[in-house]
Amino acid sequence: FEDEHPDWLDPVTRLPLSSMEPLEEYEEDCENAPEEIQKEIDENRRAWANCKDALLEHFTSMADDPDIPWLEKYKREGGALKKADFVSIRDELFAVTPLESLDAMDSLMPDGLDLDTLDESVY
């Protein structure tokens, strides 16, 4: 975070915000995750299994771990993206930048609500 996203850190402590701490329900070995979290995990695994080869072609700093036990379970035969497919999906992936997404979210906030000064401890 310090190198790539220093603005995500607490300005005083320079540590990640408490709201960024991982939740136990999302741990790999959690056996009692609520149904909605398990569904989210399954969707993310399916997305990664079917897109990882194309994404790794561009995002070279991402680690490829071919020994993930659930990888083949979620991979759609004949439907997963291949390395060469990155070129065809690049424009769609980057159609909206992260900063543009934040601007769009800001425009949806009620007037007078400033996310930069929001006290997260009240949540």
Side-chain angles (χ1 to χ4, degrees), residues 63-83:
D64 183 11
D65 185 355
D67 298 325
I68 298 172
W70 48 260
L71 204 53
E72 287 304 314
K73 173 184 175 185
Y74 291 100
K75 195 168 189 174
R76 203 171 71 210
E77 194 60 42
L81 296 174
K82 297 172 183 52
K83 288 182 180 185

Side-chain angles (χ1 to χ4, degrees), residues 9-54:
L9 300 173
D10 182 295
V12 176
T13 65
R14 304 303 301 153
L15 296 172
L17 299 171
S18 59
S19 62
M20 298 173 83
E21 291 291 326
L23 298 174
E24 183 180 327
E25 292 88 354
Y26 287 94
E27 294 292 329
E28 283 287 330
D29 57 356
C30 182
E31 295 178 9
N32 59 348
E35 186 177 339
E36 64 273 4
I37 290 179
Q38 189 56 53
K39 183 179 178 189
E40 180 182 350
I41 291 169
D42 289 344
E43 289 171 351
N44 287 330
R45 287 178 174 176
R46 187 172 294 105
W48 179 247
N50 289 288
C51 297
K52 78 174 193 73
D53 292 338

